[in-house]
Structure formats: C-alpha cells, structure tokens
Amino acid sequence: MPKSTFFNLPEDKRQKIIEAAVDEFSEHPYKEASVNRIVEKAGIAKGSFYQYFEDKKDLYKYIIEISAQQKLMYMQHIMKDFEKLNIFQLIRELYIAGIKYAKDNPKPFSIGVRFLKEKDSELFDEIMEDSRKKSGDFFKYLLIKGIEKGEVDPAIDVDLVSMLIISLSIDISEYYLKTREGEDLMGIYNLVDRMLYIIENGIKAKGKGN
C-alpha cells in the first residue's frame, strides 16, 4: 500500500500519479515498466516517488487494487436484485458487469489482461492469493444463499465449488485472450453463458441413468 505521504497529497496530484502509472503499466509488462517514465509523466521528482511508495511493486499492487475496487462498483447494484435473480442469473450478471467495466476502463482492463498473460510474473501468486481469498468468501456466500433458496444442491462442497467457479472465471478469461483476442469484447458474453450452462447443468447427458 502507498505510504501516508501519498494520501496526504492533493487529490489532483494523487490522480496524476495514478494516471501516469496506469498508462505505463498498460503499455509495458511489469518487468519493463519504468519508474523514471512514471515520475516524468506525473511531473514529480524520483525521490518523491519513494516517499509515496516503497517501490515499483508497491505501486503496481495499488493500481491492481484500485482497479478491482472500481470494478466492484459496477457490480454493487446487482446485489440489490439478489432476491429477484437465481444464483446462476446473478453470476451471469456479475460477469457482464465486469465486461462493462472493461469497456469503460480499457487501460486498467489491459493491465489485468497482461497480468493474466504473464503468469511467470513474480507477483502473480502474491496478488492472486489475496484475490482468490476475497472471491472465495464472496462466492461461498452466494452458494450458501442459493442453497437456502433451494437453487443449489445442499450436498455440494461449498468450498470446492466456490474454488471451481473462481478457477473457471480465470480460465474463461485466458481462453478469451487466446482464442478471441481482437474480436469485439462483447464476444465474451457467449463464453460466459456456455460456462454457466456447465456450472448449472453439469456434463452428464440428460436421461442417462442415475
């Protein structure tokens, strides 16, 4: 996290640093991103940078974090419709909200795309461990509510299924990047629907024994 000195800066100066960092990380892989270019674009001294952040990794993790917070804002309104939607509709709407976020915020989205591509990054496990924990708690909550509403089989292992849903969401993003990159972003809608069909219905042929 940034140091307290960063949060003591005027809002416009903080935003200028954030925008410079987003530009740099969206244009360059993490390992090639340059603090020198960031401070030059932000109009601050390099020494000042280290008064605000421990290092480049600290800044990168902060950019990932605020991007995730912005994405959550796109999803908050969906939770108000929780009682109106079944769990599978809700999951679909959450993914679609994520896509809308990506369309409205192409640079932060491109950072996420590059982050997923660069699995050999020294930061991948560190960042994903925290992300998976938060996502796991959220999807476990949805599954438990789904069980209470009679939409989800109560015999499932909630921890296991939440992990599978998270893994599938990451894998579907990677699949999109590998097979659909360059297409209209809306093409992922169909992939989400196909993924959710499997989650809801499984792969067993209907009417084929017990």
Side-chain angles (χ1 to χ4, degrees):
M1 286 291 294
K3 300 177 182 179
S4 59
T5 48
F6 175 75
F7 295 109
N8 289 334
L9 291 171
E11 172 64 25
D12 59 338
K13 191 167 184 177
R14 292 202 311 269
Q15 193 58 37
K16 195 169 183 179
I17 294 171
I18 290 170
E19 289 174 359
V22 168
D23 285 346
E24 181 68 13
F25 291 129
S26 66
E27 294 169 5
H28 303 278
Y30 169 74
K31 291 181 179 179
E32 297 175 14
S34 167
V35 171
N36 289 335
R37 286 193 294 261
I38 293 171
V39 298
E40 181 179 358
K41 188 162 189 176
I44 62 173
K46 191 170 184 179
S48 297
F49 175 87
Y50 292 104
Q51 292 178 2
Y52 307 144
F53 302 93
E54 290 293 338
D55 49 27
K56 182 174 72 171
K57 181 173 77 169
D58 192 26
L59 173 60
Y60 183 75
K61 291 175 68 175
Y62 179 60
I63 295 300
I64 293 288
E65 179 182 336
I66 60 176
S67 296
Q69 291 173 351
Q70 289 171 346
K71 185 176 179 179
L72 282 175
M73 292 177 63
Y74 279 68
M75 299 179 174
Q76 286 177 348
H77 72 282
I78 298 170
M79 299 310 296
K80 296 178 182 178
D81 294 327
F82 181 84
E83 297 299 329
K84 300 177 184 177
L85 302 174
N86 67 43
I87 185 173
F88 306 105
Q89 293 170 327
L90 186 61
I91 292 172
R92 182 182 189 276
E93 291 303 313
L94 288 170
Y95 281 119
I96 289 175
I99 294 169
K100 290 178 180 177
Y101 161 78
K103 291 186 66 181
D104 293 344
N105 302 272
K107 288 184 179 180
F109 173 69
S110 70
I111 294 173
V113 168
R114 179 171 280 117
F115 172 71
L116 286 174
K117 281 184 174 181
E118 297 171 353
K119 270 199 168 180
D120 60 339
S121 168
E122 63 192 50
L123 287 179
F124 188 83
D125 289 339
E126 183 177 341
I127 292 175
M128 289 308 296
E129 180 179 0
D130 183 55
S131 176
R132 281 196 173 104
K133 172 69 168 59
K134 292 178 181 177
S135 299
D137 290 344
F138 176 68
F139 281 109
K140 281 191 285 186
Y141 169 79
L142 292 186
L143 289 167
I144 290 169
K145 286 294 184 181
I147 291 171
E148 293 173 353
K149 294 166 68 176
E151 298 166 355
V152 176
D153 184 350
I156 68 166
D157 183 322
V158 172
D159 289 324
L160 175 61
V161 174
S162 65
M163 180 199 71
L164 290 173
I165 292 174
I166 295 166
S167 296
L168 283 172
S169 69
I170 296 171
D171 290 341
I172 203 74
S173 297
E174 291 182 295
Y175 178 73
Y176 172 76
L177 294 175
K178 291 177 180 177
T179 65
R180 304 296 181 89
E181 191 172 12
E183 284 187 7
D184 189 317
L185 185 61
M186 304 300 284
I188 202 172
Y189 276 41
N190 184 46
L191 294 178
V192 170
D193 284 338
R194 285 155 59 188
M195 178 188 73
L196 293 179
Y197 178 87
I198 295 171
I199 292 174
E200 183 173 2
N201 299 283
I203 63 173
K204 185 177 181 179
K206 303 299 183 287
K208 297 293 184 180
N210 296 318

